[in-house]
Amino acid sequence: MKRPVLLLAAALFAAHTFAAQATISVRADNPGHPVSPRLWGVFFEDINLSADGGLYPELVRNRSFEGSDGLRFWTFTSASKAATEAAPTLDESRPLNAFNRHSLQVRPGAAGCVLENPGYWGMNFVAGEACAFRVAARATDDFKGALRVELLDSAGAVIASGELSGFGKDWKQQTLTLTPTKSDPRGKLRLVVPGDASDKGALFLDMISLLPVKTWKGHGLREDLAEAMNALKPAFFRFPGGCWVEGENIARAYQWKTTIGDVASRTQLENIWDYNATQGLGYHEYLQLAEDLGAEPVFCINVGMSHRESVPLDRMGAWVQDALDAIEYANGPVDSVWGSLRAKNGHPAPFNLRILEIGNENGGPDYAARWPLFVKAIKAKHPEITLIANLWFNKYPKDPMPEMVDEHYYDAPEGLMRRATLYDGYDRKGPKIFVGEYAVTKRAGLGNLRGAIGEAAFMTGLERNSDIVMMAAYAPLFTNVHHRAWSPDLINFDSAGWYGLPSYQVQQLFSHNTGDTTLPVEVQSAELPVEDPRGRVGVGTWNTQAEFKDLKVTAPDGKVLFASDFAGKGTEGWTFLGGGEWSVKDGVLRQTAEKQKLRALIGDPSWKDYTIELKARKLTGREGFMVLFHNKHDEDRTAWNLGGWDNKYDAVLLADSDERKDGSIETGRWYDLRVQLDGDQVRCWLDGKLVHDFRRPHLTVRTIYASATRDTATGEIILKVVNTAAGPTETTINLEGVAQPSGPARATVLTSEKPDDENSLAEPRKIAPHTEELTLTGPRFTRSFPGNSLTILRIPTTK
Ligand code: AHR
């Protein structure tokens, strides 16, 4: 049921100089439903180098020379001024094993050879903290030399060293413990194979690994990053993706069986987020991490669908069996096939996997056909396992009806604020909800305060509705600051340190102040208009090559704002986003890379009403093309998408609403396109035919969003208040059914001077909460909530 809202003059409250007003009534005398005990968790995806070079603390980048890594990230020089006999090469003649087919062949000759690896933008060495060096090595009979292993500081000085020798003709693991004498976050590993004129032999190296000996709870993960997760007190842990589960094609989809056991025998996999994944953080380690966090593991398994392909139905048996085996690996007795492997890998006790998500962001007929295969097989054997289905384009499979559905929301701050009431009206008889991924991803820089406030507002709605929303997680969790394939991300790290976004503080404030029973809340506050959409025009493609010509943008008074025949000035003044291969020839703008999200923009960010006319033609690829409009910020993607979703749909995508119809684009045919933006009216013509004609909804957000719970153990009322206005909001709070607060209250406030303030490695706590004690005069009191703030009030009442 929607809460009543008092509509006041928005303009008055939008102004910075006036304090807005609001009232919040908390029905402490009429408690609601219990708060879901698993409400706040984390979602870990192997994205942004969050596993390799992050949580999985391998210091060597490219330890095994597989896949696209080849010889990348290594440099080779000679030990003396003379040249080495031959530069090191990849060798495939005698692989270490079936999964590790390439090794490094070093022929030092007289000059010797020096190999260096900088890790992931520097190796973090800490004085006195040991690192374990491991290598698999073999040599030809005539190799007489040794291997010197050195840790270098950023200036190149040796801060630890050791030597290995006695290499035989068969592969053998050799180890060294190296303890740096100095701390340096930008260190390197150097391997020296000294030269010898009489030495004609070759040394072969593989799995060259350097790991810190001290890891989180002794289970092999980087301590500070694991602790950063732990500090969120996550109630569940979803892994390992995301799109990473799907892969671009089936060959690159996540397969848990290739990620367990000896790290040298795991299959490296080309990650969809642009790197080769070692899988050092494998299925077993994920389950162990969940256990160490005290969090419920939620394994998201591939459903036989990748971004581009689906496994034929008659071959789905193996995929369903993988799911059954994953459950047996996690929970099965030690004498079962997979349970015994778990025990062999160091965990005889079951991991208690109770929740499995079938697929990630999958939908359509292919998903509807594969979902029942998993449900039937798993429920027949494991009725105790909760299975989560995907929601995609507002649809989920209904046969069989899922117990829980995973919804994902990425939007601008106001988009998430507006969704704070989404679940108030949800069907209580339908499936439970898992908000498996959400974040403010637009207009939030690298993750600023305003973005965090948008998420906080949304989270009040999740908490109020936690009779139906059982679990929710921000996404994604981690990024290496040097590889932001997706942004923003909750925890940003480099080789030695990390900082949390203001969103991290929001997550922590909610999870540390959950309470156990909801208290109904009524909020009366002003509605603030969301800024009218404005912005540049452009064209775009998605996995498709296309051409565009005769572009003209006209104002309502007929004035031509921009026109190009793509001759003369070519692409001068255009902004190209997402890469791509853009060129201009014979009066045509051409894009020839078959990648996602490629956009070319021109014009003024302040343009509001205009008509765009152009011609477009698809050359080849999976989809059609896009006409972009109202793209004020680079991350805005307001567009008319023709032939989207594998050339099946024709959609107008606005900030807060979409209109989608069936529609496809023919290859090689020039189409006439026209988009008219006139106030709230959006019209699109294809070859002169009006195909979209609708009014954009007028958007507003509330000034105040709130939720309240009781912590039965302490007797406190926990009131969370989000002020989305730019300035303070004077708020009267009424605790109904409370005679008198029984002691001083605590207010924890998260805010900052400017909405676009961000934390950084240099200023990790620029935006951090502060706590103050309050003496309340009675159950009715007033408080001024600062602009763009989240406040947690903990008010003691008699138990
Ligand atoms: O969280 C980043 C990505 O967003 C996930 O991989 C995917 O599930 C979603 O599209």
Side-chain angles (χ1 to χ4, degrees), residues 360-642:
N360 172 69
E361 294 189 350
N362 297 124
D366 283 12
Y367 189 57
R370 283 158 185 75
W371 159 255
L373 306 179
F374 285 83
V375 179
K376 277 177 201 145
I378 295 171
K379 284 290 181 187
K381 224 173 156 189
H382 302 284
E384 73 286 1
I385 300 272
T386 300
L387 298 176
I388 304 177
N390 301 162
L391 177 108
W392 194 236
F393 282 112
N394 272 327
K395 293 206 172 102
Y396 57 83
K398 302 230 166 54
D399 184 18
M401 190 60 108
E403 294 150 270
M404 206 182 282
V405 167
D406 179 7
E407 306 188 351
H408 295 177
Y409 296 106
Y410 294 104
D411 210 331
E414 295 73 23
L416 280 204
M417 289 169 193
R418 289 170 51 72
R419 288 195 181 88
T421 51
L422 174 70
Y423 297 104
D424 293 352
Y426 253 50
D427 175 11
R428 261 52 191 171
K429 294 196 195 81
K432 300 287 187 199
I433 305 300
F434 172 33
V435 185
E437 300 181 22
Y438 67 89
V440 168
T441 49
K442 299 177 191 167
R443 304 176 198 168
L446 291 178
N448 62 25
L449 174 69
R450 181 72 178 166
I453 295 306
E455 290 147 11
F458 180 55
M459 290 167 78
T460 61
L462 302 182
E463 188 176 83
R464 276 188 293 101
N465 289 288
S466 64
D467 57 326
I468 178 166
V469 180
M470 306 317 284
M471 311 193 292
Y474 179 99
L477 187 58
F478 283 110
T479 188
N480 188 312
V481 295
H482 301 288
H483 188 92
R484 296 182 192 277
W486 179 287
S487 178
D489 308 277
L490 205 61
I491 298 170
N492 293 239
F493 63 86
D494 68 358
S495 65
W498 68 276
Y499 71 92
L501 301 186
S503 306
Y504 178 89
Q505 313 287 359
V506 167
Q507 293 294 317
Q508 200 172 34
L509 286 172
F510 272 77
S511 74
H512 286 219
N513 294 284
T514 310
D516 49 67
T517 310
T518 52
L519 300 176
V521 176
E522 280 195 4
V523 178
Q524 298 184 329
S525 77
E527 297 262 334
L528 301 174
V530 174
E531 187 198 12
D532 275 344
R534 294 170 182 273
R536 299 165 288 180
V537 303
V539 291
T541 60
W542 187 284
N543 290 331
T544 303
Q545 301 186 29
E547 288 180 333
F548 307 91
K549 65 178 181 181
D550 301 338
L551 173 66
K552 188 159 100 179
V553 186
T554 320
D557 61 4
K559 187 175 151 213
V560 176
L561 298 171
F562 177 80
S564 179
D565 57 4
F566 296 106
K569 289 189 176 169
T571 55
E572 196 183 309
W574 284 78
T575 302
F576 297 98
L577 298 172
E581 288 159 20
W582 296 91
S583 60
V584 167
K585 203 174 162 214
D586 303 330
V588 169
L589 174 65
R590 182 176 298 146
Q591 196 300 108
T592 50
E594 289 182 42
K595 282 179 63 190
Q596 301 182 353
K597 288 192 207 161
L598 303 180
R599 290 176 296 150
L601 295 169
I602 187 84
D604 194 319
S606 68
W607 285 351
K608 186 169 173 293
D609 289 340
Y610 48 77
T611 300
I612 312 170
E613 289 161 284
L614 76 159
K615 292 186 171 56
R617 167 165 81 164
K618 167 181 174 170
L619 298 176
T620 182
R622 299 164 58 84
E623 308 218 336
F625 32 72
M626 287 175 232
V627 185
L628 309 170
F629 53 90
H630 286 164
N631 279 225
K632 180 173 178 183
H633 307 268
D634 285 357
E635 63 277 16
D636 292 343
R637 293 222 291 275
T638 322
W640 179 16
N641 186 1
L642 298 105

Side-chain angles (χ1 to χ4, degrees), residues 42 216-217 219 221 229-230 234-239 283-298 329-331 342 346-353:
V42 289
W216 195 60
K217 300 199 174 182
H219 287 139
L221 302 184
M229 284 171 83
N230 195 36
F236 68 87
F237 174 73
R238 175 179 179 235
F239 65 93
Y283 184 56
H284 186 99
E285 288 78 19
Y286 282 124
L287 291 166
Q288 182 65 62
L289 175 57
E291 183 177 281
D292 289 344
L293 290 166
E296 186 84 47
V298 179
Y329 184 93
N331 302 345
R342 180 191 71 241
H347 201 288
F351 277 119
N352 279 324
L353 176 69

Side-chain angles (χ1 to χ4, degrees), residues 296-349:
E296 186 84 47
V298 179
F299 177 39
C300 179
I301 195 163
N302 186 291
V303 66
M305 293 172 72
S306 68
H307 277 190
R308 295 183 180 201
E309 307 159 338
S310 297
V311 174
L313 277 173
D314 61 359
R315 286 188 13 223
M316 280 300 299
W319 294 74
V320 173
Q321 190 58 46
D322 264 3
L324 293 169
D325 294 344
I327 297 169
E328 186 174 293
Y329 184 93
N331 302 345
V334 291
D335 56 359
S336 63
V337 175
W338 292 99
S340 69
L341 260 183
R342 180 191 71 241
K344 191 168 153 235
N345 292 335
H347 201 288

Side-chain angles (χ1 to χ4, degrees), residues 184-202:
D184 196 320
R186 306 271 171 276
K188 281 190 210 179
L189 171 71
R190 180 158 73 188
L191 304 179
V192 183
V193 190
D196 179 344
S198 64
D199 196 340
K200 298 285 178 228

